[in-house]
Amino acid sequence: MIKLTPMEKKYSPKDIEQKWQRNWEGLFVSKEDPNKKKYYCLEMFPYPSGRIHMGHVRNYVIGDVIARYKIMNGYSVIHPIGWDAFGMPAENAAIEKGIHPAKWTYENIASMKAQIKKLGLSYDWSREIATCDEDYYKWNQWLFLKMYEKGIAYKKKSFVNWCPSCETVLANEQVDDGKCWRCDSIVKQKELEQWFFKITDYAEELLSYTDKLTGWPENVLMMQRNWIGKSTGAEIDFKIAGTDEKITVFTTRQDTIFGATFMSIAAEHPMVKVLIKGKNTEKDVMKFVEKVMQEDKLTRTGEGTEKEGIFTGAYAINPFTKKEIPIWIGNFVLMEYGTGSVMAVPCHDARDFAFAKKYNLPLQLVIQNPEKTLSVDTMKDAYVDDGFLVNSGEFNNLSSLEAKEKIADELEKNGIGKRCINYRLRDWGISRQRYWGTPIPMLYCNQCGIVPVPEKDLPVRLPKDVAFTGKGGSPLLDSKDFLNVKCPKCKGDARRETDTMDTFVDSSWYFLRYTSPKYNDKPFDFEKAGYWMPVDQYIGGIEHAVLHLLYSRFFTKVVRDLGLIKIDEPFTNLLTQGMVCKETLRCPEHGWLFSEDVKDDKCRLCEKGVEKGRVEKMSKSKKNVIDPDKLIDTYGADTVRLFSLFAAPPEKDLEWSDQGVDGAWRFLNRVWSLVVKYSSEIKDAKAKIEVAKLNDNEKALYRKTHQTIKKVTEDIERDFHFNTAIAAMMELVNEILGSGEKERVKAEVLKAALETLIILLSPFAPHICDELWLLLENKGSVINIAWPQYNANAIKAEEMLIVIQINGKVRGRVNLPAGTAEEDIKKTALADTKTKEWISGKDIKKIIVVQNKLVNIVV
RNA sequence: GCGAGAGUGGCGGAAUUGGCAGACGCGCUAGACUUAGGAUCUAGUGGGCAACCGUGGGGGUUCAACUCCCCCCUCUCGCACCA
């Protein structure tokens, strides 16, 4: 322990923050304590880009207040941090600057760690992990092998989203508006052999548990539900006229089957070739198919894309009407969804309606609108709502709902179809043609085929001697040492898998590894994970609403089914913090400007007037960024923390304001000088307060102290509304300043007020609080002090301000003892001189009294 | 188009169960201290001279509406040929 001497004169964060950060070393190491309730507080771990940004700061500070608050409330708290350390930027740095990805990554980790440490966060650094450590990625490989054994990891040839710039595949959810989520290149379709995780096996559970995640924001759950995209319907077989072949369609509207007047199938559908063979349409159809398949997915499924199709020349037979219906190929039909073929019901599907109108295909009304009778000749749009059935034989007059069931029964009875559930969710493709990731532990043997690497041979290490050219696929292909191995089964020549895993694999279970970061036998210790999991509070950006959070939920369930843990869901409560935003500045000549390049609304370079742009998310390209490191150097971590927490509630966007930071700085200075001013006076004051002996001024301060405890506690408990909690502490400071000036206050009352303030403020601004705590000759860190309880009697005011309303408008105010009876309040209100003026000459119709609050006289 | 959320002073934001709209902070105004002030302290600060008017707009319920109900507008986010 370092010798601590308090500094009294000026608030100098630079000195006290370093001192306390050194003093806190080891203070936040967590241990499983069976006698305490546990609390797992987790912020999404960062990618080690090299520098932290304000988004990180906000994220970690929110988590830190929660962790510190829970510690002070007697919980056994785990609050770990680590590094999401695999990924492309490291490899790009290797290509551009010739630095090895490992060197680049570990150097970045070191510099970011130093920056993060300056914030004074309560992390248990002994649990730090980096996913690029072989101690970590070994367990990615181990989990992969277990998943392979269970058939959850499998390989298939498929069309994949290919980013030509990253030279790698992307999962569907990593494609954003047809572009790569990382580099914005247009994504192309490519056929490749890829490793997949069978997340679709868990689609139903992932969906149904969204109803149980009551601690998650509704919008995130909704995004996940949309992503999983469950739809209930039926598969129906349509015979192809004049053959023994059939085409199966998926529909959610089997009640409209009598209205199916044609069929649309995907260009990729395997039946296309069969249907057109030998027909005179063959050439034209193939031309069309090729054209459609060349189009990338973005334009093909884009909003403005015209629906196009071509008649194959073949007919299917509607199994209910027995009529022959033409089979068309539609550019809008997707092979990946359902069966790649659609029964087209133009009267009751907007898309089919447009298609039928364009190509002059027949319409058949089968659902009648009970509100307003429809007729085929006058319909301008499809009627897509439910109704009752017409032109549907034995099913006429049934409601859509009833008909869905009856027709499904009929399909199953006749063996021409079955009830069916479809999901939009696809399996998760995890292969990446990159170096800086976890090698997939598989071998290709000339004799035995695909062979998993035996568990004892893990980890499959990344080779060091690799050239990074940025060309020609994975650098691992060039490493002979890596590539060539002996088959563990037949000892013959084999070749390693060169694909590495998507980095989302790393982040799908890191929260489990934190519970036993050095464990050697398994990915994590069953007992320890059992103690700490699930994460009680997870905090991170909304951008991970689908990707990371869905994968983590999936992994948790897989790991549960492997018997490694007992819980079903990883994160009990989720807080999605808002973005950190700032005003943008633009010079007509020099483009985006940093705020320091602007003086008096003019560009420093050319003196031209600067346009103030929208408030937008901080981004380097728009130059509306604030460097947290510089800010900490100027104001200290406590000010930065306080402002980040005060400017907005955590779930909302935070607008950065330099003046706002000054405000936080001033507040801390006021706290500092207040405590310094009274420190000698209150040091030796007794702890006990005899409430009965206090004068009014003292009682008011005593009451405010306890009201503040109540307010701050409740605001933290109520969805972490730190902004109002801080406002309450500012009020207390104003009250202390006020009471001190008015008249002398007994030392013990002042002491209680100031010490309470320090304790309540300590999770928010821990350095200054520990320093002031020391100044008052207390021992150790405030983190060891129990969170205060408020005295329910103390917060009750003896006198209440009663508002007098006349016809609902405030006309006067009067002080009355708390708990004054309704009758007495009425009397007092009516006796009030101002009231008399307002009601003179009018009839009193009614008087409403709300105890301790108001009286409303209706005239 | 569908779904979710939001709209309150010059600005960020409060108002937790229908009960004083604007807490707290920023900014602004005046004053004090000062060689100086972009430091600090004190006072004031929704609009209007006033009656009064004010929570995106219009209706409604109520003694009382930022809060509840109906209609509309705007913005943000997510999804979007999903059969």
Side-chain angles (χ1 to χ4, degrees):
Chain A
M1 181 119 165
I2 303 148
K3 194 172 175 232
L4 299 167
T5 38
M7 329 202 162
E8 292 198 16
K9 279 191 173 167
K10 234 180 106 191
Y11 172 44
S12 167
K14 222 172 225 167
D15 301 321
I16 63 173
E17 290 185 355
Q18 276 191 14
K19 179 177 74 172
W20 283 103
Q21 281 162 19
R22 262 180 280 132
N23 199 247
W24 292 337
E25 289 285 335
L27 187 63
F28 299 103
V29 172
S30 43
K31 278 196 206 83
E32 299 77 27
D33 182 344
N35 299 317
K36 280 186 180 176
K37 277 181 85 176
K38 69 92 186 178
Y39 192 89
Y40 192 160
C41 179
L42 182 67
E43 298 106 57
M44 290 179 183
F45 67 166
Y47 179 80
S49 60
R51 292 202 72 76
I52 62 165
H53 54 69
M54 286 312 307
H56 292 126
V57 171
R58 188 174 194 203
N59 190 202
Y60 306 150
V61 168
I62 291 167
D64 196 52
V65 179
I66 296 171
R68 286 173 181 270
Y69 172 77
K70 291 290 174 184
I71 291 171
M72 293 174 80
N73 275 279
Y75 286 83
S76 162
V77 171
I78 184 173
H79 187 208
I81 183 149
W83 309 96
D84 188 12
F86 271 139
M88 268 184 2
E91 210 159 327
N92 290 340
I95 294 161
E96 286 158 23
K97 296 173 200 154
I99 311 167
H100 192 275
K103 185 170 158 29
W104 186 86
T105 303
Y106 283 107
E107 282 175 5
N108 281 351
I109 289 175
S111 62
M112 270 178 95
K113 191 169 167 179
Q115 290 178 57
I116 286 178
K117 284 205 164 187
K118 283 196 201 169
L119 283 164
L121 304 166
S122 60
Y123 288 128
D124 177 355
W125 287 100
S126 74
R127 292 178 186 272
E128 180 183 2
I129 56 172
T131 56
C132 64
D133 285 348
E134 61 180 59
D135 282 351
Y136 187 85
Y137 72 70
K138 171 182 176 177
W139 299 111
N140 277 346
Q141 295 171 340
W142 188 91
L143 287 165
F144 182 97
L145 292 177
K146 295 291 161 196
M147 288 161 86
Y148 179 73
E149 280 168 28
K150 292 198 82 179
I152 299 166
Y154 68 99
K155 202 174 191 195
K156 72 172 175 188
K157 194 172 191 179
S158 69
F159 280 95
V160 292
N161 304 304
W162 178 260
C163 172
S165 158
C166 304
E167 289 197 318
T168 193
V169 299
L170 300 170
N172 275 347
E173 46 276 38
Q174 291 157 10
V175 179
D176 190 7
D177 202 20
K179 292 173 189 160
C180 174
W181 71 300
R182 270 236 163 93
C183 72
D184 270 357
S185 315
I186 303 276
V187 171
K188 297 229 159 79
Q189 295 302 299
K190 191 170 176 175
E191 198 170 33
L192 275 177
E193 282 258 306
Q194 297 285 303
W195 286 100
F196 284 85
F197 284 153
K198 228 171 185 341
I199 191 171
T200 50
D201 273 5
Y202 288 84
E204 189 57 43
E205 197 192 333
L206 288 166
L207 178 68
S208 66
Y209 270 73
T210 57
D211 293 334
K212 300 185 190 178
L213 293 171
T214 51
W216 283 40
E218 192 51 41
N219 60 338
V220 174
L221 294 173
M222 195 50 76
M223 283 188 233
Q224 295 215 345
R225 286 184 199 121
N226 285 343
W227 190 262
I228 296 165
K230 179 180 181 175
S231 51
T232 311
E235 282 184 0
I236 306 173
D237 297 336
F238 281 65
K239 278 200 181 119
I240 296 164
T243 72
D244 291 334
E245 307 276 1
K246 60 177 187 177
I247 291 180
T248 305
V249 302
F250 173 72
T251 181
T252 57
R253 290 298 302 271
Q254 61 268 26
D255 55 318
T256 64
I257 180 130
F258 285 83
T261 53
F262 63 101
M263 184 185 269
S264 311
I265 65 174
E268 300 90 339
H269 199 285
M271 284 304 288
V272 168
K273 280 182 188 138
V274 181
L275 293 174
I276 59 173
K277 192 148 199 198
K279 296 209 169 69
N280 55 10
T281 51
E282 189 169 350
K283 247 191 176 166
D284 291 340
V285 172
M286 281 321 290
K287 223 191 225 168
F288 178 78
V289 165
E290 271 162 35
K291 189 189 126 206
V292 171
M293 284 173 66
Q294 265 171 11
E295 277 174 5
D296 63 272
K297 234 184 183 166
L298 177 66
T299 45
R300 194 167 154 191
T301 62
E303 190 178 4
T305 308
E306 179 79 5
K307 282 165 191 53
E308 282 182 57
I310 192 165
F311 178 46
T312 57
Y315 291 85
I317 296 161
N318 181 323
F320 283 69
T321 64
K322 311 289 182 202
K323 282 186 187 156
E324 288 198 354
I325 58 172
I327 303 173
W328 284 64
I329 293 170
N331 63 344
F332 58 89
V333 185
L334 307 171
M335 197 57 220
E336 310 89 83
Y337 187 81
T339 59
S341 40
V342 186
M343 67 175 210
V345 185
C347 282
H348 307 292
D349 180 281
R351 200 184 34 201
D352 295 341
F353 189 86
F355 197 79
K357 285 283 172 190
K358 179 169 180 178
Y359 294 106
N360 224 355
L361 293 161
L363 280 68
Q364 171 69 49
L365 188 80
V366 290
I367 305 291
Q368 190 51 260
N369 182 353
E371 312 278 311
K372 190 174 167 246
T373 306
L374 301 161
S375 137
V376 174
D377 306 323
T378 57
M379 279 176 92
K380 293 229 165 59
D381 292 299
Y383 176 73
V384 297
D385 296 330
D386 282 357
F388 62 91
L389 273 72
V390 291
N391 302 321
S392 297
E394 55 179 303
F395 303 99
N396 278 343
N397 299 318
L398 291 175
S399 70
S400 293
L401 215 64
E402 293 166 322
K404 274 182 192 168
E405 294 305 318
K406 290 261 166 69
I407 289 172
D409 288 342
E410 188 74 10
L411 290 170
E412 287 173 354
K413 197 174 88 193
N414 298 331
I416 52 164
K418 57 174 198 273
R419 285 180 170 81
C420 184
I421 291 168
N422 240 299
Y423 297 92
R424 204 184 81 110
L425 182 71
R426 309 280 79 168
D427 278 341
W428 173 15
I430 61 144
S431 288
R432 295 292 179 274
Q433 292 68 45
R434 312 293 305 185
Y435 168 81
W436 196 231
T438 305
I440 293 172
M442 286 292 181
L443 306 172
Y444 301 98
C445 170
N446 299 335
Q447 310 299 317
C448 317
I450 296 179
V451 182
V453 172
E455 214 176 298
K456 66 173 173 52
D457 293 342
L458 297 184
V460 176
R461 291 188 180 84
L462 284 169
K464 294 261 159 65
D465 57 331
V466 178
F468 298 95
T469 59
K471 300 217 171 71
S474 172
L476 290 174
L477 286 163
D478 299 328
S479 172
K480 298 280 177 294
D481 286 351
F482 179 83
L483 205 59
N484 301 318
V485 281
K486 295 293 174 199
C487 171
K489 273 191 191 163
C490 71
K491 312 294 172 201
D493 285 344
R495 178 175 62 80
R496 270 193 207 284
E497 172 65 78
T498 55
D499 284 354
T500 52
M501 296 183 202
D502 181 2
T503 56
F504 277 112
V505 175
D506 313 342
S507 55
S508 294
W509 66 279
Y510 75 108
F511 43 89
L512 291 161
R513 184 69 183 170
Y514 278 144
T515 64
S516 46
K518 309 210 163 56
Y519 195 59
N520 268 330
D521 299 343
K522 292 267 172 68
F524 50 88
D525 183 325
F526 180 83
E527 299 292 330
K528 294 197 164 158
Y531 177 83
W532 292 114
M533 288 296 291
V535 172
D536 293 277
Q537 186 63 56
Y538 198 29
I539 309 150
I542 186 78
E543 65 272 21
H544 293 108
V546 177
L547 303 168
H548 163 60
L549 290 168
L550 191 66
Y551 294 149
S552 296
R553 295 182 59 213
F554 162 62
F555 251 71
T556 301
K557 289 170 195 298
V558 169
V559 160
R560 174 201 63 194
D561 293 345
L562 289 170
L564 298 174
I565 197 163
K566 285 182 174 164
I567 53 161
D568 298 309
E569 288 285 340
F571 313 124
T572 309
N573 295 293
L574 174 69
L575 173 63
T576 48
Q577 96 220 21
M579 296 180 298
V580 183
C581 303
K582 195 173 183 296
E583 182 183 64
T584 49
L585 299 166
R586 214 179 149 83
C587 165
E589 195 180 326
H590 296 93
W592 302 111
L593 295 177
F594 290 109
S595 51
E596 56 264 34
D597 292 334
V598 179
K599 206 186 171 188
D600 302 329
D601 295 334
K602 285 190 180 131
C603 173
R604 270 180 192 272
L605 299 165
C606 63
E607 296 292 312
K608 284 200 178 106
V610 168
E611 303 159 28
K612 289 191 178 170
R614 286 159 49 110
V615 174
E616 291 187 72
K617 181 182 177 175
M618 282 189 180
S619 78
K620 274 185 206 150
S621 60
K622 298 211 170 124
K623 299 195 174 176
N624 59 339
V625 285
I626 294 283
D627 179 10
D629 219 33
K630 278 189 206 157
L631 204 66
I632 293 168
D633 281 345
T634 315
Y635 290 96
D638 284 336
T639 296
V640 177
R641 293 171 60 120
L642 199 73
F643 177 72
S644 314
L645 296 162
F646 180 62
E651 72 281 3
K652 286 184 65 172
D653 285 352
L654 183 155
E655 188 185 330
W656 197 262
S657 139
D658 294 331
Q659 289 99 339
V661 179
D662 284 333
W665 163 254
R666 280 202 285 267
F667 171 66
L668 290 180
N669 272 284
R670 278 212 301 282
V671 172
W672 178 270
S673 53
L674 194 59
V675 175
V676 168
K677 182 176 169 190
Y678 291 113
S679 60
S680 54
E681 186 179 331
I682 63 173
K683 253 179 218 167
D684 304 316
K686 53 186 177 179
K688 200 165 154 39
I689 293 170
E690 290 170 84
V691 182
K693 289 187 183 167
L694 302 181
N695 65 30
D696 286 352
N697 192 27
E698 290 159 352
K699 266 185 198 155
L701 180 55
Y702 181 69
R703 190 184 311 125
K704 188 70 181 179
T705 304
H706 282 265
Q707 282 170 338
T708 308
I709 297 172
K710 181 171 194 273
K711 177 80 177 138
V712 172
T713 308
E714 287 176 356
D715 284 348
I716 295 175
E717 294 288 342
R718 176 174 61 103
D719 291 332
F720 310 119
H721 277 90
F722 304 127
N723 56 331
T724 49
I726 293 167
M729 290 186 274
M730 289 173 167
E731 282 187 59
L732 177 60
V733 168
N734 293 344
E735 179 88 14
I736 297 170
L737 281 165
S739 66
E741 298 304 317
K742 260 186 274 177
E743 55 186 281
R744 231 177 150 66
V745 168
K746 283 195 185 70
E748 63 264 33
V749 178
L750 198 55
K751 181 177 186 164
L754 287 172
E755 290 200 343
T756 301
L757 173 67
I758 291 169
I759 297 168
L760 295 179
L761 185 60
S762 69
F764 301 81
H767 310 87
I768 187 175
C769 290
D770 270 11
E771 183 67 21
L772 292 173
W773 195 243
L774 180 70
L775 183 68
L776 294 181
E777 295 188 349
N778 292 297
K779 294 261 166 351
S781 169
V782 187
I783 195 80
N784 297 316
I785 305 301
W787 190 256
Q789 304 287 313
Y790 63 88
N791 174 347
N793 288 321
I795 61 171
K796 280 189 206 142
E798 288 158 11
E799 287 216 314
M800 300 296 294
L801 183 70
I802 310 288
V803 170
I804 301 171
Q805 293 184 339
I806 291 156
N807 286 346
K809 288 189 173 146
V810 181
R811 297 301 184 197
R813 294 178 176 86
V814 65
N815 271 310
L816 286 176
T820 305
E822 285 194 16
E823 272 309 307
D824 297 332
I825 295 175
K826 260 189 218 177
K827 272 185 212 159
T828 319
L830 289 170
D832 187 81
T833 39
K834 267 192 238 142
T835 313
K836 278 182 184 161
E837 279 172 35
W838 281 100
I839 61 174
S840 69
K842 288 166 189 156
D843 289 342
I844 295 173
K845 283 192 194 157
K846 202 173 178 185
I847 300 177
I848 289 122
V849 179
V850 181
Q851 260 219 330
N852 293 337
K853 282 222 170 109
L854 63 73
V855 51
N856 190 8
I857 302 163
V858 188
V859 295

